[in-house]
Amino acid sequence: MSGAVERTVESARNTSSSTLSAAKAQTAEATQTLKAAAEKASSDPVAAKNDLLHTPAMRAALPFINGGLAGMFATTAIQPIDMVKVRLQLAGEGAKTGPRPSPLAVTRDIIAKGKVLDLYTGLSAGLLRQAVYTTARLGFFDTFMKLLTTRASTNNTSIGFKERAAAGLGAGGVAAMLGNPADLALIRMQSDGLKPPEARANYKSVVDVLMRISRTEGIGALWAGAAPTVVRAMALNFGQLAFFSEAKTQLKTRTTWNSRTQTLTASAVAGFFASFFSLPFDFVKTRLQKQQKMAGQTGELPYRNMVHCFGKVAKEEGPLRFYRGFWTYYFRIAPHA
């Protein structure tokens, strides 16, 4: 009996010893690998960086990272234009006649009632929106295009306008749903200054907006205006990504311009069509996301849904109201193309 116990103990000791030896060997191997990677990074940082960029995970993430950073940079540059665009869309709500404010007049009014930095109201929400929306939009577009390219290569066909449009619509719709809470926060912050001073929420940041909406209106309220947001994004991407790719392809075939000129021209073309297709939905999105019930308030909101908003604005303010501030919107959209 005792001999059996001794044999069992000896066997366990041997197993533990061999396991420990194997673990030590693996640790030593990992240490050597890390040491070699560190030495390589130290001696040739460019090669080390290239190795990192070509890892499968980084290659998959790069379209999303690049898209998000580009969108955030563009947002910082055009935030004042976006602020003016929103104020133009909310001006004269419910009235068919009356003064037609110009972008310059709106800009002067914002500065006169506050300070120049008020043009950057909602920047934190705009940056969050781009970090989510643009990252997902361009990332998904790139992913969809790679899938379509692989399928076209397998079928011995080529990628055309139809495939680019489908990729743009799909990418825009998915990204818009993900970014709607940040979009809602942006509109609430930009429209807050239109209220009487005593009724303003005076939001501190995008986090403050999202927390207040969640607390007072419910989590579901963060997706207010999601329908026109999604349709707007799909229309925007149809005009922006599809027309950019198509214009760039046509310019490469039909002109001898340098790459920079072709890119800028394609961006201008894409920006125009993106603005034309998406502005009515952007207008309705702004109206829906701006409205809110205050604590204790009863009765209906001005607009029930996207269709009701379209019908009410067309009847009370005229169908051309949907395109008010077209060129302001165009200059807001073009940098993202």
Side-chain angles (χ1 to χ4, degrees):
M1 181 73 170
S2 60
V5 171
E6 289 177 359
R7 285 195 299 273
T8 302
V9 171
E10 184 65 25
S11 175
R13 184 184 297 115
N14 292 336
T15 302
S16 299
S17 178
S18 60
T19 302
L20 182 60
S21 298
K24 287 182 177 179
Q26 291 176 353
T27 302
E29 183 180 353
T31 301
Q32 289 297 323
T33 302
L34 289 173
K35 184 177 180 182
E39 290 176 352
K40 183 176 181 180
S42 177
S43 61
D44 192 354
V46 175
K49 179 182 178 182
N50 288 337
D51 287 344
L52 175 64
L53 292 177
H54 286 86
T55 58
M58 184 57 72
R59 287 173 67 89
L62 274 176
F64 294 83
I65 296 172
N66 290 337
L69 291 175
M72 292 172 75
F73 179 80
T75 291
T76 303
I78 55 86
Q79 181 67 17
I81 300 176
D82 189 69
M83 177 69 167
V84 172
K85 183 268 297 183
V86 169
R87 291 295 180 86
L88 283 170
Q89 291 176 332
L90 296 175
E93 187 172 2
K96 191 168 187 176
T97 59
R100 296 184 57 185
S102 66
L104 185 58
V106 170
T107 303
R108 282 201 302 260
D109 184 63
I110 293 171
I111 296 174
K113 291 181 178 179
K115 51 187 180 296
V116 174
L117 287 180
D118 285 349
L119 292 169
Y120 280 89
T121 297
L123 180 60
S124 61
L127 291 175
L128 176 62
R129 177 182 179 276
Q130 291 304 328
V132 176
Y133 171 71
T134 304
T135 299
R137 178 175 66 93
L138 294 182
F140 279 118
F141 180 75
D142 185 74
T143 301
F144 293 159
M145 285 299 295
K146 285 179 180 177
L147 292 174
L148 291 170
T149 301
T150 301
R151 189 178 71 175
S153 178
T154 303
N155 297 334
N156 199 26
T157 57
S158 59
I159 293 292
F161 180 78
K162 181 175 65 175
E163 287 77 14
R164 294 190 186 97
L169 290 171
V174 173
M177 282 299 294
L178 296 175
N180 196 80
D183 212 340
L184 173 68
L186 176 63
I187 298 300
R188 291 288 178 90
M189 294 178 80
Q190 291 178 325
S191 63
D192 195 48
L194 293 173
K195 301 175 184 176
E198 66 277 5
R200 293 175 188 172
N202 296 316
Y203 300 111
K204 298 180 179 66
S205 67
V206 60
V207 176
D208 183 35
V209 182
L210 296 176
M211 290 182 64
R212 288 204 212 181
I213 293 173
S214 301
R215 187 169 57 249
T216 60
E217 302 174 49
I219 297 294
L222 294 175
W223 275 268
T229 300
V230 170
V231 178
R232 167 195 176 274
M234 295 176 73
L236 183 69
N237 280 272
F238 174 74
Q240 195 176 69
L241 297 176
F243 276 92
F244 176 82
S245 297
E246 187 68 18
K248 190 73 179 290
T249 301
Q250 294 297 329
L251 288 169
K252 282 183 177 179
T253 304
R254 300 172 183 273
T255 71
T256 57
W257 299 345
N258 60 49
S259 178
R260 182 180 178 81
T261 302
Q262 289 176 351
T263 299
L264 290 174
T265 304
S267 295
V269 172
F272 177 85
F273 283 103
S275 301
F276 177 79
F277 288 122
S278 66
L279 182 53
F281 299 103
D282 184 83
F283 181 96
V284 170
K285 175 191 75 71
T286 298
R287 291 287 180 92
L288 287 173
Q289 292 181 332
K290 175 251 182 184
Q291 64 179 5
Q292 64 183 117
K293 278 187 178 181
M294 307 305 292
Q297 181 181 347
T298 58
E300 288 189 353
L301 291 169
Y303 311 108
R304 293 193 296 272
N305 51 46
M306 180 176 69
V307 175
H308 180 248
C309 185
F310 265 114
K312 187 173 182 179
V313 171
K315 180 180 179 180
E316 295 181 354
E317 304 174 41
L320 291 180
R321 183 62 61 90
F322 295 114
Y323 280 96
R324 171 179 280 182
F326 176 84
W327 291 110
T328 303
Y329 185 67
Y330 171 78
F331 284 111
R332 179 231 181 277
I333 291 297
H336 291 286

